[in-house]
Amino acid sequence: MRPTLRQMQYLIAIADTGKFGEAARMVNVSQPSLSAQIAEMEASLGVQLIERSRRGAMFTAAGEELVRRARSILRDVEDLKAVAKFGRSELSGRLRLGVLPTVGPYILPPASRELHKRFPELRLSIREERTIDLDDHLQAGDFDVIISSAIDHENIDHEPLFAERLYACAPPEDPLSAGEGPVRLKDLKGHSLLTLGQGHRLDTIIRELAAASGAMVSTEYEGTSLNAIRLMAEMGAGIAILPSLYALSEARRDRGLNVRMIDHPLARREISLIWRTTSPLAASLLGLAGPLKTAAGQVLATE
């Protein structure tokens, strides 16, 4: 008897959670059912895949290799389903989209409205994640397409959407807050820069800016959102480095917010529509790019 796709799904769930109980909840089955399926899988293959202990599930060498191959098989199955779903050039059905949390809220609402007009049968399933998590889930087949920085992903094709600059938001009492016009790199020297933490492309850029300017990355506070680091900057914790989609949107909403563009080539990032090189959806996915570019352009037009 050969392993089934369902058994492979259960095996991957255990690998992702490290525990049978959590894996069972993830795939919406009872723990005894999941355990029985894994036992049947091991019996059919004639090899032990998992060592069970009170601490959780530990994979054998054979188990780790099978998990790797199972991920690849399930990804191919998802692509096979996509071929049937997107057999035509027009987008339709459910499309799983991953997006950076520093991008999604500012371009997806207007873009989604335009996409619905163009493709009335399209249903977007959207999830915001860090750059590193977007890559993991794209490669695993959990996303059909993502919106991220292409430099952070391998084995992908992409369509550039827009480039945005970074802005400095300083505490009210800081001289940088009182000034106008662009901020030069040397103006950041000695300052503490606030970041979202590791796993974000924005964190990498901020660390490069700190190294080049003589600034430092704050070790006392890592924000969970752009709103959080902006508020911490306003409270005097350091300088928030904000991408232009957020900075310009918030500056229009809050006239008292003073954000200043950082005038340096390091202070920018490029955002693309990204899919796996093996994806059968490439031709269809390009249909998303137009509305996304238009939505971003409307925000960035005042830059």
Side-chain angles (χ1 to χ4, degrees):
M1 182 177 177
R2 297 174 181 175
T4 67
L5 295 177
R6 178 171 296 179
Q7 289 170 344
M8 294 181 199
Q9 182 186 14
Y10 292 173
L11 190 71
I12 291 171
I14 297 170
D16 289 342
T17 62
K19 296 182 182 297
F20 277 74
E22 292 182 15
R25 286 190 289 274
M26 176 184 288
V27 295
N28 297 314
V29 298
S30 67
Q31 183 172 337
S33 295
L34 181 139
S35 297
Q37 287 293 317
I38 296 301
E40 183 178 307
M41 188 179 192
E42 290 177 319
S44 67
L45 293 171
V47 64
Q48 184 177 357
L49 303 175
I50 300 173
E51 294 181 29
R52 297 147 177 87
S53 70
R54 292 182 179 179
R55 294 186 177 182
M58 297 183 295
F59 279 77
T60 64
E64 290 178 353
E65 177 63 16
L66 199 64
V67 167
R68 185 185 69 81
R69 292 176 180 268
R71 291 188 192 278
S72 176
I73 290 169
L74 291 181
R75 183 174 64 241
D76 289 343
V77 169
E78 289 299 319
D79 284 348
L80 184 64
K81 290 161 62 177
V83 170
K85 183 173 63 175
F86 292 92
R88 301 170 297 167
S89 60
E90 182 174 315
L91 288 166
S92 63
R94 185 171 73 95
L95 188 73
R96 300 164 301 169
L97 170 65
V99 62
L100 293 170
T102 55
V103 172
Y106 311 104
I107 68 170
L108 286 183
S112 294
R113 289 192 290 270
E114 179 60 27
L115 285 168
H116 182 67
K117 291 179 183 178
R118 294 191 187 187
F119 311 108
E121 300 302 318
L122 177 65
R123 297 294 179 267
L124 287 176
S125 176
I126 301 169
R127 192 164 79 214
E128 294 181 356
E129 291 187 347
R130 300 180 304 166
T131 309
I132 189 171
D133 296 323
L134 287 177
D135 187 63
D136 288 344
H137 291 140
L138 177 68
Q139 300 303 336
D142 298 324
F143 290 134
D144 298 308
V145 61
I146 62 173
I147 299 173
S148 183
S149 45
I151 192 174
D152 293 303
H153 307 277
E154 297 181 350
N155 302 318
I156 55 95
D157 286 330
H158 73 284
E159 173 69 15
L161 296 177
F162 61 91
E164 57 178 343
R165 297 178 181 270
L166 299 184
Y167 284 68
C169 177
E173 66 277 6
D174 192 291
L176 284 178
S177 185
E180 296 182 357
V183 171
R184 295 167 298 178
L185 201 61
K186 66 178 183 179
D187 297 330
L188 298 176
K189 185 176 181 178
H191 285 84
S192 180
L193 308 184
L194 301 173
T195 178
L196 290 178
Q198 296 183 357
H200 292 275
R201 160 56 45 177
L202 190 59
D203 175 71
T204 302
I205 296 175
I206 291 172
R207 292 182 184 277
E208 291 173 350
L209 283 173
S213 66
M216 63 199 79
V217 176
S218 174
T219 58
E220 297 181 356
Y221 180 79
E222 284 188 355
T224 56
S225 68
L226 295 177
N227 278 334
I229 61 173
R230 170 195 162 188
L231 290 173
M232 291 303 295
E234 292 174 346
M235 293 171 61
I239 295 179
I241 307 299
L242 306 170
S244 52
L245 279 180
Y246 174 88
L248 297 177
S249 297
E250 290 299 305
R252 282 198 293 270
R253 187 185 64 81
D254 181 358
R255 296 299 180 181
L257 177 64
N258 184 23
V259 291
R260 298 174 60 190
M261 182 191 300
I262 302 173
D263 185 16
H264 194 273
L266 283 176
R268 68 191 302 273
R269 66 174 181 173
E270 297 183 354
I271 301 297
S272 296
L273 189 69
I274 299 168
W275 56 91
R276 297 182 300 278
T277 55
T278 56
S279 174
L281 307 180
S284 298
L285 292 174
L286 286 172
L288 300 173
L292 292 169
K293 290 179 181 179
T294 299
Q298 291 171 348
V299 178
L300 301 175
T302 57
E303 196 165 43

